[in-house]
Amino acid sequence: MSSAIISLTDWFQTPPGRYLLEWERSQFDQSVANMFGYNALQLGLPELQTLVTNRMPHRWLALPEELVTLAREGSEKGWFGDGGRVSALPGSTPSSLTSLSDRVALVTNAAALPFPEASLDLLVLPHTLELSADPHHVLREVERVLVPEGRVVISGFNPYSLWGLRQARARWASRVGMAGLGISRLYLPETGDFIAPGRLKDWLRLLSFEVESERFGCYRPAVKTEKWLQRMAWMDRAGPRWWPIVGSVYFVVAVKRVRGMRLLGPVWKPRRSQAVVPASVTNRQ
C-alpha cells in the first residue's frame, strides 16, 4: 500500500494529474459547502483540501502512517518541499502551503477509525477506496461512524473510461508478455483495482446508503502532455451531453438512512374553543 500511495502522489504532479485534481477540487468545493453539522473528516489525499468551503466547526484530515512518515522525512520527488511542506499544488498560494504535519489531525487506518458510533456528520473519501486493501470494510466503517442522515463523498477512477481502457490494455499486454511493443506502459498509477461506479452504488445500498448525486468528469483522452490536454478541452464540454458515464473520474454523494427513524418536530396542538350550548328553560308553574 505504501508504494501505491507514493506512486499516486508522483502521478498527481504530471499534467493529467493536475488536470484531475483541478476538476475534483471544484466538485468538492461545490458539494460540501452546504453540508451542515459539527464534525467532518477527510480520509487521505492531502493534495486536495476538500473541506475548505465547508462550515462545520470541527474539520480534520486523517492520513495513513506511511504518508505521514514520508512527509516528515522529506521527499526528493517534487511533491514535498523543504520541511515537509506541500508544494507545486495547482491553485495553491504561498500562504496556503502550510506544513503537512500541522494539517494532519490523526494518523489512522481507514478500516479502523478511532471514533465512536454515530459521531461524524461528514466523511470525504478522495480515492481512498482504491488505496484500501478491503474497500468494502472501509465503507462499513464509514457507515458505523456516520450519524443518521450523515453524508459520505467519494471520488474514484472510472474503469469504463478512456483512461481506464488504456490502463486495462497496459495490464493485459504485461500479462501476455507484450512489453516490447510499448503498450504495456501504465497511464495511471498502480493503485489496485479500480471500483466501477455501479459496483460502488451496490455496496452503498447494502449498507443502507441512498445515493444523492453522481457526476462524471475528465473526458479528455489519455494523453500525457499539457499541450494535447489543452487541445482536447472541447471534450469536457461535449462529454456530459454525449457520453456522460465514461468520464475518467466519478464523484458520488450518499446519505446514510436509518430504517424506522422519524424526525419529530414540535407538535402544536390547536386549542379547542368551548362551544356554547343553549340550555332549555322549563316552566314548572
Side-chain angles (χ1 to χ4, degrees):
M1 178 178 175
S2 176
S3 59
I5 293 175
I6 296 174
S7 64
L8 182 63
T9 297
D10 292 337
W11 184 81
F12 279 137
Q13 299 306 306
T14 65
R18 293 193 295 268
Y19 159 60
L20 181 140
L21 283 179
E22 193 63 31
W23 184 84
E24 289 197 16
R25 177 179 290 106
S26 65
Q27 300 303 311
F28 280 113
D29 289 347
Q30 177 184 352
S31 297
V32 306
N34 294 321
M35 294 182 182
F36 300 100
Y38 296 96
N39 304 311
L41 178 67
Q42 174 184 340
L43 280 174
L45 199 63
E47 291 93 338
L48 277 176
Q49 298 186 32
T50 61
L51 300 174
V52 171
T53 60
N54 187 263
R55 288 168 280 181
M56 294 187 189
H58 306 293
R59 295 168 293 173
W60 303 298
L61 170 64
L63 295 181
E65 183 178 1
E66 297 90 347
L67 193 53
V68 175
T69 302
L70 179 66
R72 290 174 179 173
E73 293 177 352
S75 173
E76 299 177 356
K77 298 179 182 290
W79 180 56
F80 298 113
D82 297 336
R85 292 182 179 272
V86 182
S87 61
L89 298 184
S92 60
T93 60
S95 60
S96 66
L97 300 180
T98 56
S99 173
L100 180 61
S101 300
D102 295 339
R103 287 175 48 208
V104 177
L106 67 154
V107 180
T108 183
N109 187 346
L113 297 176
F115 294 96
E117 295 184 6
S119 57
L120 298 178
D121 300 280
L122 171 62
L123 264 167
V124 181
L125 308 180
H127 299 276
T128 307
L129 298 179
E130 297 158 0
L131 295 173
S132 174
D134 190 352
H136 194 269
H137 183 71
V138 173
L139 285 179
R140 288 198 298 268
E141 188 70 358
V142 169
E143 190 275 336
R144 182 187 69 84
V145 300
L146 272 181
V147 300
E149 303 300 314
R151 284 171 169 78
V152 57
V153 184
I154 304 170
S155 67
F157 289 111
N158 182 13
Y160 307 122
S161 63
L162 295 178
W163 293 11
L165 291 177
R166 176 165 175 176
Q167 189 82 348
R169 185 194 68 176
R171 289 177 175 175
W172 173 81
S174 179
R175 286 196 303 267
V176 300
M178 299 177 62
L181 299 179
I183 62 175
S184 62
R185 189 174 303 171
L186 295 176
Y187 180 74
L188 298 172
E190 188 64 40
T191 57
D193 294 332
F194 298 153
I195 303 171
R199 186 182 181 191
L200 175 63
K201 289 189 290 185
D202 287 341
W203 288 354
L204 291 171
R205 292 191 190 99
L206 288 175
L207 295 172
S208 300
F209 281 94
E210 179 183 338
V211 176
E212 190 175 59
S213 65
E214 179 186 22
R215 295 190 291 274
F216 293 85
C218 299
Y219 293 93
R220 305 181 197 183
V223 295
K224 293 186 176 181
T225 64
E226 185 70 28
K227 177 181 178 181
W228 279 103
L229 282 173
Q230 294 301 326
R231 286 184 177 181
M232 297 297 175
W234 62 270
M235 297 185 69
D236 282 336
R237 298 187 295 270
R241 179 176 181 181
W242 297 107
W243 47 88
I245 62 173
V246 295
S248 299
V249 61
Y250 58 83
F251 190 87
V252 176
V253 179
V255 185
K256 177 182 174 181
R257 303 298 189 191
V258 178
R259 292 184 178 181
M261 180 180 178
R262 184 177 180 184
L263 298 178
L264 298 178
V267 179
W268 304 103
K269 294 182 179 180
R271 188 174 182 179
R272 297 181 179 179
S273 59
Q274 296 181 355
V276 179
V277 179
S280 60
V281 178
T282 305
N283 188 0
R284 294 183 180 181
Q285 294 179 358

